[in-house]
Amino acid sequence: MSEFSIIENYFQGRSFQRRDVALGIGDDCAITDIPEGQSLAVTTDTLVNGIHFPESTPPILVAQKAVAVNLSDLAAMGAEPAWLSLSLSIPEHDEQWLHEFSLGIQQMSEYYSVQLIGGDTVKGPLSITITAHGFIPKDQALTRSRAKPGDLLYVSGSLGDAALGLDICKGLVHAHPSHKNFALDRLNNPSPRVLVGTMLRRIASSCIDVSDGMLSDLKHILYASQCGALVHVDKLPLSHAMTQTVSAEQAYQYALNGGDDYELLFTVPESLKGQLELALVNANVSATCIGQIAGLNEKLRLTLDGEAYTTEINGYDHFEEECSE
């Protein structure tokens, strides 16, 4: 089967159709319209077989994760998802694999109202590159660089579950079947916090998604904002599956350094705390205050039950020999 047959049979016309797409798959370029008063946010992520997902991962979950990690980047900027383009490298034509993979793309497209507008298909090692586009009202983008001393530090959802799932998958941790299923779902099928991101536009001072480990990603905010921070380790949000599977100390390490959570880590001026809490209730979303931004000279400090807590920051890095995945 040719490249163009693969595109036509598995991807063309199979995603959610948006009115702002004048010309989608089937030509040399897609043509789209940006709504008046909106800025365009663009992000690209690549998932490589055996690095970003285990080789045994079902293709439908590979597709869903590939879309989710890109939508998570848009969420971290407060953007509403609109369009996707896909570059797919596959070692051979596998009809069943392509069918299931394209179904995963289609389901994510329908759920988040995003349209697949183009891309490329080549023969090679299995990897998936997606570029996602989204809209942000002008001058309302969330960034990493606006945190201020005194701002409260929050994180959505729970932390460390995906890293726990990876270790379960590797046979390094044994868990009750229900806890195992929960952790593996968090690893293979993350939920981008799109609603949270858009809700935070007028509330948060800075934001980032937790993809490489909470501490590693927090350092990006601190560097960009030229601030320090105090993190209360005992305040970290931990799932029931986590606390029932590993010790407290292991749970803290997963929460601090585990990657692939795709939760949002954000800062909020203390004066807007009430507004945030109301917005979270209205959106039926959980977020936990885990610390506070401090002055530059205070750097990054951790406490556990009021006492100083020390740990290495060893979140995921593609170009480090030692990593958490």
Side-chain angles (χ1 to χ4, degrees), residues 153 155 157 159 214 230-238 252 255 287-291 303-306:
L153 179 64
V155 67
L159 291 172
M214 191 280 287
L230 172 64
V231 174
H232 303 296
V233 175
D234 47 298
K235 299 294 186 182
L236 296 174
L238 304 174
Y252 294 147
T288 304
C289 182
I290 62 171
T303 66
L304 177 61
D305 297 325

Side-chain angles (χ1 to χ4, degrees), residues 15-89:
S15 71
F16 182 85
Q17 302 295 296
R18 294 178 58 99
R19 293 181 180 179
D20 49 27
V21 178
L23 186 63
I25 297 175
D27 234 294
D28 289 316
C29 295
I31 300 175
T32 58
D33 300 318
I34 301 176
E36 185 176 353
Q38 301 283 321
S39 296
L40 182 66
V42 183
T43 184
T44 299
D45 262 306
T46 298
L47 270 62
V48 178
N49 183 33
I51 296 178
H52 299 97
F53 56 90
E55 294 185 12
S56 60
T57 306
I60 190 170
L61 296 181
V62 174
Q64 291 175 342
K65 185 169 185 176
V67 174
V69 300
N70 280 272
L71 298 190
S72 182
D73 281 338
L74 292 181
M77 302 290 291
E80 179 184 344
W83 315 313
L84 302 173
S85 59
L86 165 68
S87 179
L88 176 64
S89 172

Side-chain angles (χ1 to χ4, degrees), residues 20 35 60 68 75 108 132 136 138 179 194 205 213 238 248 258 265 277 302:
D20 49 27
I60 190 170
M108 293 293 282
I136 310 173
K138 287 189 180 296
H179 301 330
V194 174
S205 51
L238 304 174
L265 180 69
E277 292 175 349
L302 307 179

Side-chain angles (χ1 to χ4, degrees), residues 157-174:
S158 58
L159 291 172
D161 299 313
L164 174 64
L166 183 62
D167 279 353
I168 291 173
C169 186
K170 290 178 177 179
L172 301 176
V173 174
H174 300 284

Side-chain angles (χ1 to χ4, degrees), residues 83-160:
W83 315 313
L84 302 173
S85 59
L86 165 68
S87 179
L88 176 64
S89 172
I90 49 176
E92 59 184 356
H93 171 234
D94 182 329
E95 184 174 343
Q96 183 63 30
W97 192 96
L98 283 167
H99 169 74
E100 293 183 21
F101 180 84
S102 64
L103 181 60
I105 296 289
Q106 180 181 346
Q107 289 179 350
M108 293 293 282
S109 167
E110 293 287 343
Y111 188 84
Y112 290 100
S113 301
V114 294
Q115 181 172 341
L116 183 64
I117 59 174
D120 189 26
T121 305
V122 299
K123 184 175 182 179
L126 179 59
S127 67
I128 303 99
T129 298
I130 286 182
T131 297
H133 307 75
F135 303 139
I136 310 173
K138 287 189 180 296
D139 302 321
Q140 290 189 30
L142 297 170
T143 69
R144 305 174 182 181
S145 60
R146 296 174 184 167
K148 297 289 189 295
D151 287 355
L152 302 176
L153 179 64
Y154 285 84
V155 67
S156 64
S158 58
L159 291 172

